[in-house]
Amino acid sequence: MSRAIQGRGCLPWTRLGPYLRAASLPGAAGGSFHGKILGGDSFSLPRSCVRHQGGPQGPPAQRGSSRHGLDHLRTVASSDAIKKHQKSLAAWFSNQPSEERQFGPSFSLDAVHVDPVIRESSLEQILKPSPELPIRHQLQRSSRRVISLQNLFDADACGRQVKNVVLYGTVGTGKSTLIKKMVVDWCHGLLPRFELVIPFSCEDLSHSRVPISLRRLVTKKYQHLRDVAPLLGASNLKVLFILNGLERLNLDFRLAGTELCCDPSEPIAPSAIVVNLLRKYLLPEQGMGKALRCALPGQALNQRASGGSFSNPGVLLASIIVTARPSAVRRIPGKYVGRYAEICGFSDTNLQKLYFQMRLSQPGCGGEGSGEQENLLEMLWRNLERQNQIAAACFLPSYCWLVCTTLHFLYFTRTVPPSQTLTGIYTSFLRLNFSGEVLDSTDPTAVSMMKYVAKTVGKLAHEGVMSRQTCFSEEDLRQCLEVEMKTESELNLLEVFRGDVFPFFLTPCVQPGREHTFVFTIPAMQEYLAALYVVLGEKKTLAQKVGKELSELIGKVSEDAAVVLGIVSKVLPLRFLPVLFNLLKIFPRFFSRLSGKDRDTIARTMAEELFKEEDYYNDDVLDQINSSILGVEGPLRHPDEAPDDEVFELFPIFMGGLLSRRNRALLEQLGCSIKNLAALEIAEAMKKTVIRNSRKGLPPSELMDYLFFLHEFQNERFTAEAVRSLRTVNLSSVKLTPLKCSVLASVLGTACHEVDELNLTSCNLDAGSLRTLFPVLLRCKVLHLQLNSLGPDACEELRALLLHAKCAVSDLRLSNNPVGVQGARHLAEALAGNRSLSRLSLLHAALGDRGAEEIARRLPENQQLQELNLGYNSLTDASALSVVEVAKKHATLDKVHLYFNDISEEGKRALHSLRMERDGVRALVFLTAGTDVSDYWSSILSTVQRNLPFWDRERVRQHLALLLRDLESSRRQTGNPWRKAKFLRVESEVKRMLAKLQHGTP
């Protein structure tokens, strides 16, 4: 490909439809003046100037001079109009869809673009029957020539000038994006072949039922071209017409269906304009037009209609490029097409890598620095090089967008707007690619493409989820796609679907041993479509289907019967007529009650799938999505090794997400309607079950999934009721990314109740995480923040938390965090002003003597603290004793933990002599208390046992050896056999821990 990368760029699948539906471009609003100039035939002066062939008015020299002056004025006006047109088009096509602004940084059209592979094709190859499903055609075809976008109108192999080009591809290959890029390139002077480019949306043209001339159509859509439109067909202006989305138009190239028209001012149907443009009968090449006008009418008609040409080929003035799905290509007879070109997507993995690099390396895709971006790209590239399924998915440029958008959602989302959900990303992704298109515009049922997908592929996806199956044989596909095909119309729709849409959702499996099976392009898409299948109510029993059809039939009959009975009752006042009328209404009413049971089934399915016990100890769903995109680091699985059980935990989450108001609005645009009443009834039906199951004490990863479900559901009242039942929230060992922190803050923020305990141990928190969770942390009584690498900057956030007037934290545990001296200073300031904290654990927090002195200096200002843990902080005698001296004078502090510190024998004896009844404080330094075992020996050893995996083993071994010697010494000093037994028990526990350390076991 001659130009794979452009300096200017665009999004991979933004459709032209939304941009071209308006009557005119921005800045081209019509007014009374505009209407007068362009209405009817009042704009006659330029036309007469162009077509003036001489006449009786004035001498030849005067007429030539006048014509020359008018031509000069016309040229200047046309040039200015085209410049305005270029500026307007560039501004219009640079607008990004709302999905792009919502799900990640918005890129201008001049920033990022990678051209897909385009291969030259032929009508024979398009119509060639395939023994297998069209998905096989995604593979590279090295025998076909690659052609660039700029060379589409080059002469063909026989040297003939190409006039019409058909650019086709399945859904998601980037047809509209490529056209959009072509228009922008022309606006920036990169397509000098054409002096004027006029893009039309076939969807827009299909909605027009009023006859209109070509010139009026151009000025209606592009008001800046009002001075140029009269020149169409009457000058040497080289024009390119772009017709995007041919499948939206019903074209009839038969003479009996579409009459010939060569006058650009003649009002005809928009589809007739397209047909005559493609016939080259409207705006023919220069020389050809004169020949057509001079020829006999019958001769011209037959010559052009049969695809023949005159001896004088003329100069090509109007070129046409048409984009279409494969099923619509055959609507244009081959004699009117100069070149067929197929968009083959990113069939080269290097193009995929290039797209990801350009997209994910943008400044808006990262936090501080580019380290995270580079690491992300490295993991993604390694997964692509493994020939993973994601490489097959990213064959379609649209899935590259989905991957980048999902990664941005997972990694670079610092705060989550209420409307930004994972379900919203997938729904918006489908809207960008399908935008409410009907599957086949020639079919009278006009079924929307997405509705058809939900009924067919959704059924396949749902059966796979229920049987925990991700690979499907061709027999499985036939069972879901063809089993109910009964009519010719249904078979035609299936044929269109297989050729245009099927490759978008399913692709051949690349795993060894499964080459003849199919999988969903992106694993999460299977769960999304299964959820859509259920939520739309497509999952029905035979009785439900028959009952619905019968109810609709009787309902229609009852309406007609009501009219008849109303007339008869006036003539024959029979008393039984009202009774008969009411009987006709019984069955529809009865069925409407039964339909409520269907919603109960949806709610029950959602609740059961959400709390499946076999999925309790998997990774949370966000980590699962991350692994599906970036892969799992480590050796590849052997082909003969038994695979892990498939997990479908996104299925119920997508079901909840699809019921949110925003997603229902998007689905409505796709032709998939979910009524407000249905969503309300489903929510009410599952409320009790969901809340009851959430109280059972879910594992951390499952609880994170539950919170994410509530976020996706986007029902604030439902979420508030569900969250109030969560008094203890345990998310220990769940990696809380910025996204998860935002979800946690958003969900728990719907209710204002106090949380008894929030366990965020080993959750990869940082200062930013604490900032995001600040409103939630304020309402927590017991707060576990151990093992989170929280340094001084995080302690600064904790200072703000503890000094807040509404802070409810009474127990703060910061063990195994690099708090340091500066962090101790922040916490000391917090202690001085806090009024709620009673327990503070700074075990193994790298305080040192200076940190302990900072705590001791501000400790007298505190009035509530009861227990302080400064164990394993390298404290020496002076700092330890200074803390104890302050503790003696403290009104409430009665327990200080000082074990595993660098305290000398003299210091130990001084601390050993403390008595609770005399000094008012107890220092926990030893496992002994004089000639008896300390009451806190079990607490000290359990603390050591829990932290062994995170502490320096050699240092712990030294401290345990000192404790053991102290135990043995105290045991020898006592003569009480009961106490000796207690000493021996504690010694055995210490010896067991030492043995584990020696053998390297935790």
Side-chain angles (χ1 to χ4, degrees):
M1 190 169 58
S2 63
R3 185 173 61 94
I5 315 169
Q6 298 294 337
R8 302 179 175 87
C10 64
L11 303 176
W13 36 87
T14 306
R15 308 193 69 85
L16 285 174
Y19 297 105
L20 297 182
R21 288 177 191 155
S24 60
L25 290 178
S32 59
F33 177 77
H34 178 226
K36 290 178 182 177
I37 293 296
L38 294 179
D41 294 328
S42 59
F43 192 64
S44 57
L45 179 59
R47 187 181 306 151
S48 63
C49 292
V50 171
R51 295 190 177 182
H52 185 66
Q53 300 295 328
Q57 299 177 357
Q62 183 178 352
R63 292 198 304 270
S65 174
S66 174
R67 183 166 59 249
H68 176 74
L70 289 174
D71 288 343
H72 176 71
L73 291 175
R74 182 196 63 195
T75 302
V76 172
S78 300
S79 177
D80 292 340
I82 291 176
K83 288 179 180 178
K84 290 180 180 179
H85 179 60
Q86 287 178 324
K87 184 177 179 180
S88 181
L89 277 183
W92 186 249
F93 279 86
S94 295
N95 290 330
Q96 303 297 346
S98 60
E99 288 79 6
E100 187 63 28
R101 296 190 298 272
Q102 183 179 1
F103 302 114
S106 181
F107 302 110
S108 67
L109 220 58
D110 297 333
V112 177
H113 182 73
V114 179
D115 280 341
V117 174
I118 305 175
R119 293 186 182 276
E120 198 163 5
S121 183
S122 65
L123 187 60
E124 290 75 19
Q125 291 174 322
I126 299 171
L127 301 179
K128 183 180 180 181
S130 174
E132 297 180 346
L133 291 172
I135 188 67
R136 304 286 189 189
H137 293 184
Q138 289 190 21
L139 304 177
Q140 295 186 25
R141 300 174 182 176
S142 56
S143 60
R144 295 190 297 158
R145 184 171 72 96
V146 175
I147 187 170
S148 68
L149 190 64
Q150 287 77 11
N151 297 328
L152 287 176
F153 288 94
D154 289 353
D156 62 13
C158 299
R160 293 185 297 243
Q161 180 68 50
V162 172
K163 310 169 186 177
N164 298 337
V165 173
V166 172
L167 191 65
Y168 70 95
T170 59
V171 174
T173 50
K175 302 182 294 295
S176 297
T177 300
L178 205 59
I179 290 302
K180 187 177 180 182
K181 177 68 174 119
M182 189 177 193
V183 172
V184 173
D185 281 350
W186 174 76
C187 293
H188 291 121
L190 299 180
L191 283 178
R193 183 194 297 264
F194 303 108
E195 298 172 288
L196 178 63
V197 170
I198 304 177
F200 286 119
S201 167
C202 292
E203 179 187 10
D204 183 31
L205 297 179
S206 68
H207 295 313
S208 178
R209 298 289 183 267
V210 180
I212 190 172
S213 69
L214 174 61
R215 289 172 177 165
R216 180 70 185 96
L217 181 64
V218 170
T219 57
K220 179 182 178 182
K221 303 302 177 183
Y222 304 101
Q223 186 179 357
H224 292 299
L225 297 181
R226 60 182 179 273
D227 294 330
V228 180
L231 307 182
L232 296 177
S235 70
N236 294 334
L237 193 65
K238 297 179 180 178
V239 183
L240 171 65
F241 287 97
I242 298 177
L243 303 172
N244 185 59
L246 182 71
E247 61 275 358
R248 306 291 188 96
L249 278 178
N250 295 327
L251 301 183
D252 190 350
F253 280 81
R254 299 171 303 156
L255 291 177
T258 304
E259 63 177 345
L260 295 172
C261 178
C262 63
D263 185 0
S265 301
E266 179 70 22
I268 54 178
S271 59
I273 292 177
V274 173
V275 168
N276 281 288
L277 281 174
L278 290 169
R279 283 171 173 168
K280 289 300 174 210
Y281 199 80
L282 185 61
L283 300 189
E285 48 268 52
Q286 189 182 24
M288 181 70 71
K290 186 179 298 184
L292 283 172
R293 287 190 292 271
C294 295
L296 293 174
Q299 177 187 349
L301 183 149
N302 295 328
Q303 187 88 3
R304 297 300 296 161
S306 62
S309 59
F310 289 90
S311 58
N312 180 7
V315 178
L316 180 65
L317 297 179
S319 301
I320 302 173
I321 184 168
V322 177
T323 68
R325 301 200 304 260
S327 64
V329 171
R330 65 192 69 183
R331 297 184 187 179
I332 305 177
K335 60 187 176 183
Y336 299 127
V337 180
R339 173 170 284 124
Y340 293 94
E342 180 182 9
I343 303 179
C344 298
F346 294 156
S347 53
D348 186 353
T349 307
N350 291 325
L351 292 179
Q352 300 173 12
K353 291 182 178 180
L354 196 57
Y355 179 89
F356 291 134
Q357 182 178 18
M358 297 177 71
R359 181 86 187 206
L360 294 175
S361 297
Q362 295 297 312
C365 281
E368 300 85 8
S370 59
E372 188 174 13
Q373 295 167 301
E374 293 176 359
N375 184 47
L376 197 63
L377 286 169
E378 182 64 27
M379 289 189 291
L380 183 58
W381 288 351
R382 282 202 298 266
N383 204 24
L384 289 172
E385 289 169 356
R386 289 174 184 156
Q387 294 299 314
N388 198 286
Q389 200 67 49
I390 189 175
C394 292
F395 165 86
L396 296 173
S398 55
Y399 276 99
C400 293
W401 181 89
L402 181 61
V403 167
C404 289
T405 304
T406 305
L407 287 176
H408 186 274
F409 180 69
L410 293 176
Y411 281 88
F412 306 127
T413 303
R414 304 305 176 194
T415 57
V416 182
S419 60
Q420 191 171 103
T421 63
L422 184 68
T423 313
I425 289 177
Y426 276 76
T427 307
S428 299
F429 167 69
L430 293 176
R431 194 191 74 82
L432 284 170
N433 284 278
F434 293 94
S435 65
E437 290 186 45
V438 297
L439 183 60
D440 185 3
S441 61
T442 63
D443 188 81
T445 60
V447 61
S448 79
M449 196 181 298
M450 201 61 226
K451 182 71 171 179
Y452 190 90
V453 168
K455 294 178 65 174
T456 54
V457 185
K459 180 182 178 183
L460 177 73
H462 179 260
E463 291 183 359
V465 168
M466 293 296 101
S467 60
R468 291 186 171 254
Q469 176 186 359
T470 57
C471 293
F472 304 92
S473 65
E474 294 190 10
E475 180 61 29
D476 294 330
L477 301 182
R478 277 191 287 271
Q479 287 294 323
C480 286
L481 301 180
E482 301 179 12
V483 68
E484 297 183 358
M485 298 294 107
K486 299 176 183 178
T487 65
E488 183 71 17
S489 174
E490 290 174 336
L491 290 174
N492 290 337
L493 288 176
L494 176 62
E495 189 65 25
V496 172
F497 170 77
R498 290 175 60 179
D500 295 351
V501 188
F502 181 84
F504 184 83
F505 292 104
L506 289 114
T507 184
C509 184
V510 298
Q511 295 180 13
R514 296 184 177 182
E515 290 84 358
H516 299 291
T517 61
F518 295 88
V519 296
F520 279 85
T521 316
I522 291 285
M525 186 59 74
Q526 178 179 354
E527 298 176 78
Y528 179 92
L529 292 178
L532 184 62
Y533 176 76
V534 174
V535 171
L536 288 177
E538 296 295 338
K539 181 191 173 186
K540 291 184 176 70
T541 62
L542 180 60
Q544 287 174 323
K545 292 179 180 178
V546 173
K548 182 180 180 181
E549 293 176 0
L550 193 58
S551 173
E552 292 175 352
L553 177 62
I554 294 179
K556 293 177 180 178
V557 170
S558 65
E559 292 176 1
D560 297 335
V563 177
V564 176
L565 291 175
I567 297 172
V568 172
S569 63
K570 293 179 180 179
V571 180
L572 300 174
L574 302 177
R575 295 182 178 180
F576 70 89
L577 289 179
V579 178
L580 179 61
F581 175 68
N582 290 328
L583 286 174
L584 287 172
K585 293 184 176 180
I586 287 178
F587 188 83
R589 290 174 182 174
F590 177 71
F591 182 80
S592 66
R593 293 181 181 178
L594 289 180
S595 64
K597 301 294 183 183
D598 184 38
R599 289 158 190 167
D600 291 341
T601 303
I602 295 174
R604 187 169 57 253
T605 301
M606 198 182 310
E608 290 174 355
E609 293 293 327
L610 188 62
F611 297 105
K612 271 192 173 180
E613 292 189 6
E614 56 263 39
D615 296 333
Y616 266 15
Y617 297 98
N618 299 319
D619 292 338
D620 64 80
V621 291
L622 293 174
D623 284 348
Q624 292 175 26
I625 293 175
N626 182 68
S627 299
S628 70
I629 295 176
L630 300 180
V632 179
E633 294 299 320
L636 296 176
R637 184 189 299 274
H638 192 274
D640 297 333
E641 185 179 350
D644 296 331
D645 291 337
E646 300 293 347
V647 178
F648 296 98
E649 293 183 270
L650 268 174
F651 170 53
I653 293 175
F654 277 141
M655 288 178 69
L658 288 170
L659 293 175
S660 70
R661 184 180 298 273
R662 181 180 181 277
N663 282 312
R664 284 188 284 117
L666 291 176
L667 288 173
E668 186 74 33
Q669 298 175 27
L670 291 170
C672 301
S673 177
I674 303 174
K675 302 300 182 184
N676 290 333
L677 181 60
L680 179 63
E681 291 177 348
I682 293 171
E684 289 297 325
M686 74 173 181
K687 183 183 296 181
K688 292 182 180 179
T689 306
V690 167
I691 293 176
R692 183 175 64 251
N693 282 295
S694 66
R695 289 173 177 168
K696 293 180 179 179
L698 301 173
S701 61
E702 194 70 14
L703 179 58
M704 187 68 238
D705 290 346
Y706 175 57
L707 296 174
F708 190 61
F709 165 80
L710 294 176
H711 169 72
E712 293 284 313
F713 197 36
Q714 294 289 295
N715 187 324
E716 189 170 342
R717 184 162 57 177
F718 180 96
T719 302
E721 291 187 40
V723 166
R724 287 192 193 99
S725 65
L726 295 177
R727 310 300 301 186
T728 300
V729 179
N730 180 12
L731 295 174
S732 59
S733 301
V734 173
K735 184 180 179 182
L736 288 183
T737 61
L739 170 63
K740 294 178 189 177
C741 288
S742 297
V743 169
L744 178 59
S746 173
V747 171
L748 294 184
T750 57
C752 300
H753 71 295
E754 285 190 350
V755 178
D756 293 338
E757 185 175 1
L758 177 60
N759 191 344
L760 301 180
T761 301
S762 188
C763 289
N764 291 79
L765 300 179
D766 55 17
S769 305
L770 298 181
R771 199 175 301 117
T772 302
L773 294 171
F774 190 91
V776 175
L777 302 182
L778 276 177
R779 297 184 280 113
C780 297
K781 294 181 180 179
V782 180
L783 185 55
H784 296 263
L785 297 176
Q786 304 97 303
L787 294 164
N788 277 298
S789 302
L790 299 177
D793 52 346
C795 291
E796 191 171 0
E797 298 297 327
L798 290 174
R799 178 186 62 182
L801 173 71
L802 295 173
L803 291 176
H804 197 280
K806 295 183 179 180
C807 179
V809 178
S810 61
D811 188 347
L812 177 59
R813 304 181 186 183
L814 287 169
S815 305
N816 300 302
N817 284 296
V819 172
V821 177
Q822 184 62 37
R825 185 174 296 115
H826 292 317
L827 294 176
E829 294 175 9
L831 280 175
N834 178 264
R835 297 294 179 266
S836 64
L837 197 62
S838 59
R839 295 183 61 190
L840 175 62
S841 176
L842 293 171
L843 175 69
H844 193 221
L847 299 182
D849 286 337
R850 291 177 57 197
E853 290 168 1
E854 291 288 344
I855 298 290
R857 183 170 60 86
R858 304 298 297 269
L859 195 55
E861 302 175 47
N862 180 275
Q863 301 299 322
Q864 284 78 31
L865 196 64
Q866 299 174 12
E867 184 176 349
L868 177 63
N869 192 335
L870 299 178
Y872 201 171
N873 274 294
S874 303
L875 305 188
T876 59
D877 295 0
S879 58
L881 291 171
S882 66
V883 171
V884 172
E885 287 300 322
V886 174
K888 286 181 182 181
K889 304 173 185 178
H890 198 281
T892 58
L893 185 59
D894 60 7
K895 195 181 299 179
V896 179
H897 298 252
L898 293 171
Y899 42 82
F900 279 30
N901 280 303
D902 301 333
I903 301 174
S904 65
E905 291 299 324
E906 293 79 6
K908 290 178 181 179
R909 284 194 293 271
L911 294 173
H912 210 333
S913 64
L914 291 172
R915 294 292 181 268
M916 182 65 188
E917 61 277 4
R918 182 189 68 203
D919 303 309
V921 67
R922 188 185 302 276
L924 306 183
V925 186
F926 313 99
L927 300 178
T928 60
T931 58
D932 197 359
V933 176
S934 170
D935 294 337
Y936 301 99
W937 72 268
S938 177
S939 174
I940 295 174
L941 289 184
S942 64
T943 300
V944 175
Q945 180 67 41
R946 286 195 309 268
N947 291 280
L948 276 180
F950 320 109
W951 288 357
D952 181 80
R953 288 176 173 265
E954 180 58 29
R955 186 171 180 182
V956 172
R957 189 191 63 78
Q958 294 174 6
H959 281 288
L960 286 176
L962 290 174
L963 292 177
L964 182 60
R965 287 199 297 270
D966 183 64
L967 286 168
E968 292 171 345
S969 174
S970 298
R971 176 170 52 84
R972 286 192 294 267
Q973 294 175 14
T974 183
N976 188 323
W978 174 248
R979 290 182 178 179
K980 284 184 179 290
K982 289 172 65 178
F983 275 113
L984 288 173
R985 179 189 174 190
V986 179
E987 288 175 27
S988 66
E989 289 292 328
V990 175
K991 289 178 180 178
R992 184 174 58 83
M993 295 175 67
L994 283 170
K996 285 186 176 182
L997 284 172
Q998 186 175 357
H999 292 92
T1001 56

